[in-house]
Amino acid sequence: MTITGEMLRTHPKADGSDALLMCIEACVECAQSCTSCADACLGEEMVAELTGCIRKNLDCAAVCAATAVVLTRQTGSNPDTVRAVLEACRAACAACAEECEQHAGMHEHCTICAEACRRCERACAELLAA
């Protein structure tokens, strides 16, 4: 079990659902992946052509990190805020994945990032449906 799973399991107010755990972990992984992809794009020779990708990477990383934080706080949760943050995360992940998929043929880091974004997008959708 991951540290996140252990913390949720021992939290007196957490629902302990697999969907919640999967979403938090997907958000953290996606935030890291997007940050790393943006940095890798900055290291590419054709950096000027990747500014849109870098921007979407950084936006997605920020939204995913914020979503993970909001989802981790279980005491006194606000369902409207949680829903809004999950929708925003899903949208940011979809936009970033689309952008990275356009560069995946030339940059493996974009392939990896797009996959992380799609996993996070699915995890947000599953938690919204739960």
Side-chain angles (χ1 to χ4, degrees):
M1 180 173 280
T2 65
I3 294 294
T4 303
E6 289 180 37
M7 290 302 295
L8 287 175
R9 182 183 56 78
T10 61
H11 193 295
K13 302 289 183 183
D15 70 10
S17 76
D18 286 343
L20 175 63
L21 174 60
M22 299 276 290
C23 194
I24 292 170
E25 289 180 342
C27 286
V28 170
E29 180 181 79
C30 191
Q32 185 281 325
S33 178
C34 288
T35 301
S36 184
C37 189
D39 188 62
C41 285
L42 287 170
E44 296 290 349
E45 289 183 24
M46 55 185 283
V47 68
E49 296 170 31
L50 295 169
T51 56
C53 190
I54 294 165
R55 176 57 193 249
K56 287 180 182 171
N57 283 159
L58 296 175
D59 287 349
C60 189
V63 173
C64 287
T67 302
V69 169
V70 169
L71 294 178
T72 298
R73 293 194 302 258
Q74 295 291 296
T75 304
S77 180
N78 180 333
D80 292 335
T81 300
V82 170
R83 189 172 6 284
V85 114
L86 284 168
E87 290 288 356
C89 190
R90 195 166 80 169
C93 286
C96 189
E98 272 184 38
E99 181 70 27
C100 279
E101 287 163 355
Q102 293 178 25
H103 306 286
M106 293 191 309
H107 306 294
E108 189 176 0
H109 54 84
C110 285
T111 300
I112 295 166
C113 186
E115 291 167 358
C117 287
R118 293 294 184 200
R119 275 191 303 276
C120 190
E121 181 184 11
R122 284 190 303 275
C124 287
E126 289 172 14
L127 188 55
L128 280 164

